Amino acid sequence: MEIKQSEFITSAVSPNQYPKDERMEFAFVGRSNVGKSSIINSLTNRKSLAKVSSTPGKTRLINFFLINNTFYLVDLPGYGYAKVSKTERQSWGKIIEPYLFKRPQLKRIVLLVDSRHKPTEDDILMYKWIKHYGYEVIVVATKKDKLKKSEISKNEKLIRDTLELSKDEKIMFFSSLSKEGKEELLDVLFI
């Protein structure tokens, strides 16, 4: 799969603001500061298609990006950032849940986890929710460039055990900085 064209279409907080066409959608979900916007920019070869912030929790809307005029990549608000109020965290859930629960165009969900750390309780809950509702999930461990080669298999085991992945479920490692894992993710995402 080669991405030749990408454009921001809209931001939404409720279903009536989602794109009205029937194009397939592939959503990226993960905790704040895991690199959702960075991975979208890396996949599309655009430095600022999705806004990247040094302050976690800045993505507060569902952002739709039209790719090759045929499908959408969807950047969901991050979860689990401790420095926002409980009310604000709940409002993000009210934005994310209707999208994940009632969107027939949604084909796959990419769950991003930080390759350097054990998945959080929020990551575990999100993974279980995705599986419970029968979505295809691709687990991507971000920030691979921050790991030593000797740490990769140990961290893969930690992620696999924490999320209770089966042996046939794959974890992909990705670096937005070096774009390592980009081709593999594009191939798996659009099978």
Side-chain angles (χ1 to χ4, degrees), residues 4-16:
K4 296 181 178 179
Q5 179 187 15
S6 56
E7 64 179 302
F8 169 77
I9 298 299
T10 193
S11 293
V13 294
S14 63
N16 64 338

Side-chain angles (χ1 to χ4, degrees), residues 14 18 34 51 87 95 136-137 145 154 156 182 190:
S14 63
Y18 302 163
V34 76
K51 289 186 172 60
T87 304
I95 293 169
E136 284 189 56
V137 62
D145 51 281
K154 178 185 76 152
E156 180 176 356
K182 176 183 171 181
F190 307 113

Side-chain angles (χ1 to χ4, degrees), residues 45-170:
N45 291 315
R46 302 255 320 257
K47 287 187 179 180
S48 57
L49 178 66
K51 289 186 172 60
V52 177
S53 172
S54 59
T55 307
K58 283 291 186 185
T59 302
R60 297 177 183 182
L61 305 168
I62 299 174
N63 295 305
F64 293 83
F65 303 96
L66 182 59
I67 307 300
N68 294 344
N69 206 31
T70 58
F71 61 88
Y72 292 98
L73 294 183
V74 183
D75 186 8
L76 299 174
Y79 53 76
Y81 186 55
K83 291 188 181 178
V84 296
S85 70
K86 186 176 182 181
T87 304
E88 192 162 4
R89 271 185 272 164
Q90 289 173 338
S91 74
W92 291 350
K94 289 177 184 173
I95 293 169
I96 295 171
E97 195 168 356
Y99 173 75
L100 293 176
F101 185 60
K102 298 179 180 176
R103 189 69 174 159
Q105 293 91 330
L106 180 57
K107 299 305 174 200
R108 283 193 188 90
I109 300 174
V110 179
L111 174 62
L112 302 178
V113 296
D114 191 321
S115 66
R116 302 168 298 171
H117 307 292
K118 180 178 180 177
T120 66
E121 287 299 316
D122 288 329
D123 292 326
I124 296 166
L125 285 172
M126 181 57 72
Y127 175 78
K128 287 180 178 179
W129 189 94
I130 293 167
K131 296 299 278 185
H132 174 76
Y133 285 102
Y135 285 108
E136 284 189 56
V137 62
I138 300 168
V139 177
V140 175
T142 62
K143 305 181 184 187
K144 180 182 180 185
D145 51 281
K146 298 186 185 289
L147 288 178
K148 297 175 187 164
K149 286 187 179 184
S150 61
E151 296 174 311
I152 292 173
S153 62
K154 178 185 76 152
N155 289 28
E156 180 176 356
K157 181 177 181 349
L158 178 64
I159 294 166
R160 181 174 295 285
D161 291 349
T162 304
L163 294 177
E164 298 178 356
L165 301 180
S166 67
K167 288 184 177 169
D168 55 332
E169 288 180 287
K170 190 173 182 185

Side-chain angles (χ1 to χ4, degrees), residues 28-52:
F28 290 77
V29 66
R31 68 176 181 77
S32 297
N33 204 29
V34 76
K36 291 180 306 301
S37 299
S38 295
I39 204 169
I40 289 171
N41 290 339
S42 181
L43 291 173
T44 59
N45 291 315
R46 302 255 320 257
K47 287 187 179 180
S48 57
L49 178 66
K51 289 186 172 60
V52 177

